[in-house]
């Protein structure tokens, strides 16, 4: 029997729930929590406190939900039928009071409550509480407080039942599959109807609820019948949200989830094309006129999803030998390329990064189909990659922080694109890089550091984009070997190692070491490169970062070319101090190699 006396809660222990309480009270609160968790019926005190709203303190309310959470997670099977009924009634009473309160609970309490509802749903939906959603929907109607909690519950249920990032045991996975199957049969159409009503009712008056609802639709669309969402009524509503500033980011994410859903390739092409038609006629393809970069980043992700979906459809149709539909899908794909390029070359790196996947897959299509437009598209992507690889003025080389780390990551994505460009046409890539590299090296004295750095960087990146076994870039394929040899000769003779910027200095040494086999073919350049390693450009550089990296690179250079350095290099280094210095470093590094 549940006591109605408020004194049954340990008031002294509850004081310890306040983060500012002293340690002894906090210890007492922890001990009290353990006591309530382990007692078979003490949780009922917490249930009563919540159902009757006995406490106004947020920490106490949260504490009560934590006790209920523990019961449902670990002791549900031990509860009698009457206790389980009491548990359900408590939750519904609490929900009812929320709709009448003058102020909503704090978000952290609502989220914890939603989690307890979700855990109860998982434990009881298939057995004791099959009408879970109908009970909740009939209680809340369209009450905004009730709707808020309902949407939070749906997201918590998604986290428990659907979320693929959470590891589940095989038993839990079986149970979750059964829950989803039962939901599809019994209540998903009603849930979808409730979402439509919420979106329609609150789109102009309550943006927060509308965004929450869009998030729910995006989460559930991956496993429910898509025709319930991908229909004129629903999609038109979502598209109208794309024109409302406070809703459009969430609407974009929701459309992305719809587009990402697996479906018949012909239907998918039709869906993407109808979306694109509306978005284009509403002016969304004019991305350069949009100032809100956060929205354009979401839009770029949506276009990426649409592009990749079309490529998947095209691949399936081509494999199946459906020439008519595969050609239509290919035409649809080609019409998205100008928008893809606009987003790839956008000055905001997040916007550009979000479209890289589409570009990468599209280059694979180009390799397979070729055609008149392919070299123009290839060149446009190549130019975009070159432009986006370039550092901007804001990059802080002395104190690299989060922004700099993000740019380094973004450059890795661009490298994947460059590698894919090489797979489509290695000759075009070699020629494009050679053109940029040669013109930059001819005028490096007057060029900004970022242009010089990216020109050398492109030469460096060719080493992986055009692979050669054991770095044998300077033998075999005559045209490639000759082009790389010309560029390396220019790099080590044009004087660019004197450029006064750490990024250029480091790129110079990285490239010299990547193509160390070049010096076997043209050993006459070894002395000048050794001098660069040993003087103010390398091991005596003012920057500790440069010095430490150069020390490592020098050890690798010496290891590969030691026999040549002993013969060509040292004979040509006339200055006795440099000679001693060179010998000294070689001995040190040689010793290092013996013991490493």
């Amino acid at each position: 029997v549940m006591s109605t006396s408020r004194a049954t809660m340990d008031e002294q222990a509850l004081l310890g729930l306040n983060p500012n309480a002293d340690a002894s009270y906090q210890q007492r609160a922890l001990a009290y929590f353990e006591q309530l968790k382990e007692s078979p019926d003490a949780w009922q005190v917490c249930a009563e406190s919540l159902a009757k709203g006995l406490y106004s303190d947020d920490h106490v309310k949260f504490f009560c939900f934590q006790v209920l959470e523990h019961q449902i997670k670990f002791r549900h099977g031990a509860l009698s039928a009457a206790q389980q009924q009491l548990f359900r009634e408590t939750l519904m009473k609490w929900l009812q009071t929320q709709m009448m309160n003058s102020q909503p609970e704090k978000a952290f309490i609502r989220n914890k409550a939603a989690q307890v509802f979700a855990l109860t749903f998982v434990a009881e939906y298939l057995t004791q509480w099959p009408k879970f959603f109908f009970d909740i929907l009939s209680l809340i109607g369209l009450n905004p407080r009730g709707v808020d909690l309902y949407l939070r519950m749906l997201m918590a249920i998604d986290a428990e039942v659907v979320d693929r990032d959470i590891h589940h045991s095989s038993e839990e996975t079986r149970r979750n599959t059964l829950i989803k199957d039962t939901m599809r049969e019994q209540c998903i159409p009603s849930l979808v109807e409730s979402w439509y009503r919420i979106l329609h009712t609150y789109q102009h008056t309550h943006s927060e609820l509308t965004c929450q609802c869009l998030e729910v639709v995006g989460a559930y669309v991956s496993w429910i019948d898509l025709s319930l969402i991908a229909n004129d009524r629903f999609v038109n509503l979502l598209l109208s949200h794309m024109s409302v500033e406070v809703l459009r980011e969430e609407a974009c994410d929701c459309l992305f989830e719809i587009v990402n859903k697996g479906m018949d390739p012909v239907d998918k092409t039709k869906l993407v094309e109808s979306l694109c038609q509306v978005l284009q006629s509403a002016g969304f393809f004019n991305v350069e006129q949009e100032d809100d970069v956060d929205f354009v980043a979401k839009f770029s992700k949506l276009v990426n999803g649409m592009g990749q979906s079309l490529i998947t459809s095209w691949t399936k149709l081509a494999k199946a030998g459906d020439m008519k539909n595969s050609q239509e899908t290919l035409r649809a794909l080609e019409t998205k390329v100008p928008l893809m390029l606009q987003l790839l070359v956008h000055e905001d790196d997040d916007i550009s990064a979000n479209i890289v996947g589409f570009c990468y897959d599209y280059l694979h299509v180009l390799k397979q189909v070729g055609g008149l437009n392919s070299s123009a598209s290839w060149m446009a992507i190549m130019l975009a990659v070159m432009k986006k690889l370039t550092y901007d003025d804001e990059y802080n080389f002395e104190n690299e922080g989060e922004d700099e780390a993000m740019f380094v990551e973004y450059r890795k994505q661009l490298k994947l694109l460059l590698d894919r460009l090489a797979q489509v046409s290695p000759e075009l890539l070699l020629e494009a890089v050679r053109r940029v590299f040669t013109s930059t090296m001819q005028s490096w004295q007057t060029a900004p550091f970022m242009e010089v750095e990216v020109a050398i960087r492109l030469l460096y990146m060719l080493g992986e984009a055009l692979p050669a076994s054991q770095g044998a870039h300077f033998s075999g394929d005559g045209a490639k070997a000759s082009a790389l040899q010309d560029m390396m000769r220019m790099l080590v003779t044009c004087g660019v190692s004197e450029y006064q910027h750490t990024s250029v200095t480091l790129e110079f040494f990285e490239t010299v070491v990547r193509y160390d086999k070049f010096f076997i073919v043209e050993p006459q350049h070894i002395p000048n490169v050794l001098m660069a390693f040993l003087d103010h450009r390398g091991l005596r550089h003012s920057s500790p970062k440069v010095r430490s990296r150069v020390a490592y690179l020098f050890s690798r250079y010496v290891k590969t070319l030691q026999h040549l350095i002993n013969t060509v290099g040292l004979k040509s280094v006339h200055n006795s101090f440099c000679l001693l210095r060179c010998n000294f470093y070689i001995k040190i590094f040689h010793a290092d190699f013996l013991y490493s």
Side-chain angles (χ1 to χ4, degrees):
V1 181
M2 189 164 83
S3 164
T4 54
S5 162
R6 183 170 166 173
T8 49
M9 292 284 269
D10 182 341
E11 301 290 333
Q12 293 292 305
L14 294 179
L15 293 173
L17 295 172
N18 191 311
N20 301 320
D22 68 39
S24 62
Y25 277 116
Q26 288 186 355
Q27 283 302 113
R28 186 162 171 182
L30 276 174
Y32 185 45
F33 182 46
E34 291 304 317
Q35 180 194 328
L36 286 178
K37 280 194 324 191
E38 296 315 314
S39 162
D41 53 9
W43 63 272
Q44 296 178 28
V45 184
C46 297
E48 182 192 25
S49 302
L50 289 168
K52 295 186 174 176
L54 298 180
Y55 290 90
S56 58
D57 186 304
D58 291 335
H59 302 294
V60 176
K61 287 186 253 191
F62 189 78
F63 174 81
C64 289
F65 272 119
Q66 280 183 303
V67 173
L68 294 191
E69 178 189 11
H70 187 269
Q71 286 300 317
I72 198 74
K73 257 186 176 173
F74 303 108
R75 304 178 71 98
H76 180 260
L79 299 178
S80 67
Q83 285 178 314
Q84 289 177 353
Q85 177 66 21
L86 174 66
F87 203 100
R88 292 192 286 276
E89 285 171 5
T90 298
L91 292 180
M92 294 304 278
K93 275 181 193 162
W94 179 83
L95 181 57
Q96 197 162 14
T97 60
Q98 294 314 299
M99 291 154 54
M100 298 182 291
N101 282 355
S102 56
Q103 285 298 313
E105 296 287 7
K106 297 262 181 16
F108 74 95
I109 295 173
R110 283 181 276 160
N111 286 336
K112 180 53 75 178
Q115 194 186 356
V116 173
F117 271 94
L119 290 166
T120 310
F121 166 81
V122 168
E124 301 198 342
Y125 176 60
L126 296 171
T127 49
Q128 298 98 313
W129 203 355
K131 292 172 76 70
F132 176 89
F133 288 112
F134 296 101
D135 289 349
I136 283 170
L137 285 169
S138 56
L139 175 64
I140 63 167
L142 280 167
N143 174 292
R145 299 266 169 76
V147 167
D148 170 85
L149 284 159
Y150 163 63
L151 295 171
R152 286 173 198 266
M153 284 176 216
L154 286 167
M155 288 309 292
I157 288 168
D158 178 74
E160 291 295 328
V161 177
V162 184
D163 194 330
R164 290 173 186 81
D165 296 331
I166 295 170
H167 179 72
H168 292 293
S169 68
S170 56
E171 190 184 335
E172 286 170 337
T173 304
R174 261 200 312 279
R175 176 206 67 195
N176 290 348
T177 303
L178 196 53
I179 287 174
K180 285 188 286 187
D181 288 345
T182 311
M183 283 177 73
R184 285 188 195 104
E185 281 171 34
Q186 295 181 359
C187 65
I188 287 296
S190 303
L191 296 190
V192 172
E193 192 53 41
S194 76
W195 303 338
Y196 182 82
R197 281 170 53 228
I198 291 164
L199 292 172
H200 199 266
T201 305
Y202 288 114
Q203 58 186 339
H204 302 304
T205 56
H206 209 312
S207 60
E208 205 173 310
L209 280 184
T210 310
C211 285
Q212 267 177 276
C213 192
L214 289 168
E215 189 183 357
V216 166
V217 175
Y220 279 71
V221 86
S222 70
W223 61 274
I224 66 173
D225 176 4
L226 190 63
S227 66
L228 294 168
I229 304 288
N231 52 54
D232 287 349
R233 182 178 79 137
F234 223 108
V235 170
N236 287 339
L237 186 61
L238 294 177
L239 287 165
S240 72
H241 294 161
M242 288 284 286
S243 303
V244 182
E245 202 163 322
V246 286
L247 306 179
R248 60 188 191 166
E249 285 186 37
E250 212 57 70
C252 229
D253 278 345
C254 191
L255 287 169
F256 170 78
E257 294 300 338
I258 292 170
V259 163
N260 247 18
K261 167 100 171 175
M263 61 192 288
D264 170 79
V266 176
D267 292 343
K268 176 61 72 76
T269 301
K270 282 179 186 158
L271 173 67
V272 170
E273 283 304 84
S274 63
L275 283 179
C276 281
Q277 225 169 347
V278 178
L279 291 170
Q280 190 164 10
S281 59
F284 285 105
F285 283 21
N286 307 325
V287 287
E288 71 283 348
Q289 290 165 19
E290 178 56 66
D291 298 331
D292 182 353
V293 289
D294 290 338
F295 169 67
V296 181
K298 297 274 189 188
F299 180 67
S300 185
K301 182 182 160 192
L302 173 60
V303 175
N304 190 68
M306 293 195 290
Q308 289 186 308
S309 292
L310 288 174
I311 290 170
T312 304
S313 293
W314 173 77
T315 307
K316 285 179 183 170
L317 292 164
K319 262 190 189 158
D322 184 342
M323 290 308 292
K324 178 178 172 288
N325 284 312
S326 73
Q327 283 304 313
E328 272 179 30
T329 303
L330 191 60
R331 275 196 294 277
L333 178 61
E334 290 294 347
T335 62
K336 310 298 172 287
V337 172
L339 178 60
M340 174 192 83
L341 291 168
Q342 250 185 307
L343 292 164
L344 180 64
V345 83
H346 198 285
E347 62 181 16
D348 184 274
D349 292 342
D350 290 338
I351 292 168
S352 175
N354 283 349
I355 202 79
V356 165
F358 177 16
C359 286
Y360 187 78
D361 293 347
Y362 175 67
L363 283 167
H364 188 60
V365 174
L366 278 190
K367 188 178 180 184
Q368 291 173 273
V369 297
L372 288 174
N373 296 331
S374 63
S375 58
S377 299
W378 186 97
M379 190 52 76
I381 295 171
M382 175 68 211
L383 291 171
V385 169
M386 285 182 179
K387 182 183 173 193
K388 293 302 292 178
L389 274 170
T390 311
Y391 285 113
D392 62 21
D393 295 326
E394 270 111 63
Y395 193 99
N396 187 340
F397 290 91
E398 302 313 310
N399 186 17
E400 291 176 314
E402 195 181 339
D403 288 347
E404 286 74 19
M406 282 166 70
F407 182 69
V408 169
E409 281 308 304
Y410 169 60
R411 262 188 155 191
K412 288 177 186 171
Q413 288 185 271
L414 294 175
K415 180 201 171 301
L416 293 176
L417 274 186
L418 196 87
D419 292 348
R420 183 52 71 88
L421 283 160
Q423 288 167 22
V424 178
S425 178
E427 302 79 20
L428 274 177
L429 179 65
L430 193 60
E431 192 44 52
V433 171
R434 184 181 191 162
R435 221 172 19 249
V436 170
F437 180 83
T438 306
S439 69
T440 309
M441 289 305 110
Q442 282 168 347
S443 57
W444 67 261
Q445 291 93 336
T446 54
F449 84 86
M450 56 279 277
E451 285 180 22
V452 180
E453 191 276 345
V454 86
I456 304 174
R457 178 88 180 178
L458 285 164
L459 170 56
Y460 175 83
M461 290 169 88
L462 281 179
E464 282 183 5
L466 308 171
S469 75
Q470 278 118 29
H473 290 287
F474 303 96
S475 55
D477 177 352
K480 175 189 151 189
S482 156
L484 283 173
Q485 209 167 318
D486 290 348
M487 285 189 272
M488 276 305 293
R489 189 183 308 114
M490 192 168 208
L491 178 72
V492 296
T493 58
C494 73
V496 75
S497 60
E498 292 283 1
Y499 199 102
Q500 297 294 300
H501 196 281
T502 54
S503 70
V504 176
T505 305
L506 283 170
E507 208 56 66
F508 171 82
F509 286 114
E510 296 281 359
T511 307
V512 159
V513 173
R514 165 158 282 184
Y515 296 112
D516 49 13
K517 302 276 195 307
F518 163 75
F519 298 95
I520 297 171
V521 185
E522 297 194 19
Q524 67 270 28
H525 303 294
I526 290 175
N528 287 336
V529 172
L530 279 179
M531 289 299 293
F533 268 116
L534 298 172
D535 65 18
H536 62 279
R537 291 167 286 180
L539 291 164
R540 297 173 73 188
H541 198 280
S542 57
S543 158
K545 180 182 164 186
V546 172
R547 288 199 301 272
S548 67
R549 182 65 186 163
V550 168
Y552 165 72
L553 291 170
F554 181 60
S555 69
R556 285 190 40 202
Y557 188 74
V558 165
K559 187 180 183 184
T560 306
L561 301 171
Q562 193 166 9
H563 63 292
L564 282 168
I565 289 171
N566 287 334
T567 55
V568 180
L570 295 181
K571 279 177 191 165
S572 311
V573 180
H574 301 303
N575 181 314
S576 59
F577 174 70
C578 285
L579 181 64
L580 285 170
R581 191 181 182 85
C582 198
N583 258 322
F584 170 67
Y585 280 118
I586 288 170
K587 278 177 185 159
I588 288 176
F589 288 120
H590 191 54
D592 275 353
F593 292 130
L594 288 175
Y595 295 107
S596 60

